[in-house]
Amino acid sequence: MFVFGVLAAVTGVVVFHLALASTLHANAGIRIPLFRNGEVVPRGSVALRAIGAGLIVFGAVMLGMTAWYLPFLVILVGPVAALVAIVVHNAAARRRARA
């Protein structure tokens, strides 16, 4: 169960971040709000985010059967990395706007 939980969680994080990458690419020079969609929403990105989030939660539940703290780590790693990616994207968009 542990290995299956890890695979589900890692797959979910990868799928979620693929959707984020397509959104960042579609909004190359535009700032993206932290907790909303960007101006351009690529086709399929919302479905990919939903599938990725579902796999992350499923993997966290599976890992919760092994150790109580693992679900918290899994649930935090994906969104924190996504927030960092959005902040870096927004900083780059701000620099491009000034130039």
Side-chain angles (χ1 to χ4, degrees), residues 53-76:
L55 283 170
I56 291 169
V57 170
F58 181 71
V61 168
M62 290 303 202
L63 290 174
M65 295 177 187
T66 305
W68 65 271
Y69 57 87
L70 287 176
F72 297 111
L73 293 175
V74 169
I75 298 288
L76 286 177

Side-chain angles (χ1 to χ4, degrees), residues 72-92:
F72 297 111
L73 293 175
V74 169
I75 298 288
L76 286 177
V77 166
V80 168
L83 287 174
V84 169
I86 292 172
V87 167
V88 168
H89 170 81
N90 287 344

Side-chain angles (χ1 to χ4, degrees), residues 14-41:
V14 168
V15 169
F16 190 83
H17 285 276
L18 284 174
L20 177 63
S22 69
T23 301
L24 294 176
H25 182 69
N27 294 287
I30 307 167
R31 293 190 67 217
I32 296 176
L34 283 178
F35 299 106
R36 293 188 317 218
N37 287 330
E39 287 184 29
V40 178
V41 179

